[in-house]
Amino acid sequence: METIKLQEIFDAKIEKGDTIEPKDWMPENYRKTLIRQISQHAHSEIVGMLPEGNWITRAPSLRRKMVLLAKVQDEGGHGLYLYSAAETMGISRDEMIDQLHSGKAKYSSIFNYPTLSWADIGAIGWLVDGAAIMNQVMLQRTSYGPYARAMVRICKEESFHQRQGYEIMTVLAKGTPEQKELAQDALNRFWWPSLMMLGPTDKESPNTEQSVKWKIKRETNDEVRQKFVDRTVPQADILGLKIPDKDLKWNEAKNGYDFGEANWEEFFNVVKGNGPCNKERLSARVKAHENGAWVREAAAAYAARESKRGNNGN
Amino acid sequence: MTKENQGILWEVFVQTKPGLPHKHCGSVHAPDKEMAIQNARDVYTRRSEGTSIWVVPAEAITASSPEDMGSFFEPANDKVYRHPTFYHVPEGVKYL
């Protein structure tokens, strides 16, 4: 079929709200945009295991430790769903991992901030997972079928992540003055990075318009950010904690909060690789991958031997 | 680029309750079928979503092609008499 005809079929599907599936024809840029977005999303899940993994051995109780282990394991699973979704577009898993390790592919800026206290684990669950959920709920209706289906699974699992974070914050905020101070400090440090992880403002986000047209994104970064602020501020009030934004105030007319401008210079700097933990995160990933090489080789060798012996491993 | 050593791709089908059909839920990489089924369990049934799992090498699956969708499924379109609602039955007849 000629390209013009194929383009028409594609456009009609998008218009109608049908999903695009792996074997369907799609414009080269649609494919490129999605490979970039899905693989970066996958990398974020995997790198996101690191800041929380930092506290597994120091969780304050067995209950918290079990929960944190389960959460970090979920993040690993989410990475795998997403890598699989990206692979359906014709990029290999190894290629994506190489792009992450070489620094060519990005991951969410938020994971380049350190987790200094236990309260940070609460703040990450509440704010970072909270912000991610806003984004991911929207992506359940994204136009690429495998991505949308991965999001449905992820959203189902993420809701416990946010609740466990808020529970940690609740206990600290209602605890001793020192504990409350830890909670406030974590909120202070994670508030702005959480707003920024939803991406640059619409003015600074050149890809948004096309992504909205292709229904990859159903809402712009600023729209998702507004929703996140509106939902989160009352949650902070219940904790008795203060959002670190002097410009934050209720705006009756728009039925939402007005809030201050994030430090976008910091955001772009972190994205470029100069955040507090970029080097540490990447080197931890590379090291884990290299240290696991023998396991992959042994498994491959075993499979090859078994299939030679006729024990048809695959 | 490093050598491809993620194993082959397996499609995963999970049965959520005894008696229900196995439904496709995603894919995993694994070098052999035992590891494929273990990986599938860890990735897709962490919350007891399954009572049974099938893994199938992705390359063993043959699929209809989207371009031919119209003509491929066309033979069924004009055969409404394959549906029970096509038939008129007198009012009051039961168990039909």
Side-chain angles (χ1 to χ4, degrees), chain B residues 59-78:
Chain B
E59 60 170 27
I61 294 178
T62 308
S64 61
S65 67
E67 301 95 81
D68 306 338
M69 190 177 90
S71 56
F72 189 71
F73 293 107
E74 198 275 327
N77 288 347
D78 58 354

Side-chain angles (χ1 to χ4, degrees), chain A residues 23-24 73-74 77 80-81 84 87 92-95 97-98 153 157 160 296 299 302-303 312-314, chain B residues 1-6 8-10 25 27 29 31-33 35 43-44 46-47 49 63-64 66-67:
Chain A
K23 292 174 94 189
D24 292 347
Q73 195 192 3
D74 271 354
L80 295 181
Y81 307 155
S84 295
E87 281 170 77
S92 78
R93 181 86 49 107
D94 283 290
E95 226 173 319
I97 291 172
D98 272 358
R153 294 189 66 85
E157 301 185 353
F160 115 67
R296 293 188 296 277
Y302 176 78
N312 206 10
N314 46 41
Chain B
M1 211 182 86
T2 53
K3 195 171 136 281
E4 294 282 330
N5 57 7
Q6 300 279 333
I8 63 166
L9 189 65
W10 303 75
C25 69
S27 45
H29 283 258
D32 61 40
K33 59 185 177 186
M35 286 187 74
V43 175
Y44 292 104
R46 283 195 303 285
R47 288 170 176 77
E49 294 98 332
S64 61
E67 301 95 81

Side-chain angles (χ1 to χ4, degrees), chain A residues 74-289:
Chain A
D74 271 354
E75 308 296 4
H78 297 174
L80 295 181
Y81 307 155
L82 287 160
Y83 281 130
S84 295
E87 281 170 77
T88 62
M89 302 209 100
I91 183 169
S92 78
R93 181 86 49 107
D94 283 290
E95 226 173 319
M96 286 186 271
I97 291 172
D98 272 358
Q99 288 178 352
L100 172 66
H101 292 176
S102 71
K104 190 182 163 215
K106 305 279 182 237
Y107 53 87
S108 180
S109 56
I110 193 84
F111 301 119
N112 290 314
Y113 292 89
T115 42
L116 304 176
S117 79
W118 171 251
D120 290 8
I121 300 305
I124 287 181
W126 173 36
L127 301 171
V128 176
D129 288 284
I133 288 169
M134 310 265 21
N135 208 24
Q136 293 177 153
V137 163
M138 160 190 81
L139 288 170
Q140 291 183 106
R141 294 179 300 125
T142 191
S143 57
Y144 188 56
Y147 193 23
R149 291 191 284 274
M151 283 301 125
V152 172
R153 294 189 66 85
I154 288 178
C155 285
K156 245 186 234 165
E157 301 185 353
E158 284 280 353
S159 55
F160 115 67
H161 296 183
Q162 195 188 13
R163 288 179 75 120
Q164 67 86 35
Y166 195 73
E167 190 191 72
I168 292 173
M169 294 304 270
T170 311
V171 170
L172 292 174
K174 308 265 177 262
T176 64
E178 288 87 349
Q179 285 175 316
K180 186 167 183 184
E181 203 175 302
L182 276 183
Q184 182 64 55
D185 174 59
L187 170 58
N188 292 349
R189 281 180 292 109
F190 276 93
W191 175 252
W192 290 107
S194 300
L195 293 193
M196 292 192 282
M197 73 176 267
L198 293 167
T201 59
D202 295 349
K203 274 187 299 194
E204 297 284 327
S205 177
N207 302 326
T208 293
E209 201 192 331
Q210 183 60 66
S211 284
V212 170
K213 256 188 213 153
W214 276 331
K215 296 187 182 165
I216 293 174
K217 279 185 175 184
R218 298 296 191 131
E219 290 159 43
T220 69
N221 297 349
D222 286 338
E223 286 165 353
V224 179
R225 196 162 14 246
Q226 180 70 51
K227 241 190 213 174
F228 174 69
V229 172
D230 292 344
R231 290 206 184 168
T232 311
V233 173
Q235 295 168 354
D237 291 343
I238 288 173
L239 293 174
L241 298 178
K242 198 175 161 354
I243 303 269
D245 179 356
K246 60 176 171 36
D247 298 320
L248 185 77
K249 66 169 193 293
W250 179 252
N251 180 336
E252 194 63 50
K254 76 169 183 187
N255 197 28
Y257 287 91
D258 288 330
F259 53 96
E261 192 71 26
N263 182 350
W264 291 107
E265 200 180 320
E266 174 185 311
F267 172 79
F268 287 111
N269 208 22
V270 175
V271 170
K272 259 184 240 146
N274 305 319
C277 298
N278 294 58
K279 286 199 183 68
E280 191 185 326
R281 299 290 184 241
L282 215 50
S283 74
R285 276 313 315 153
V286 172
K287 197 172 142 207
H289 190 68

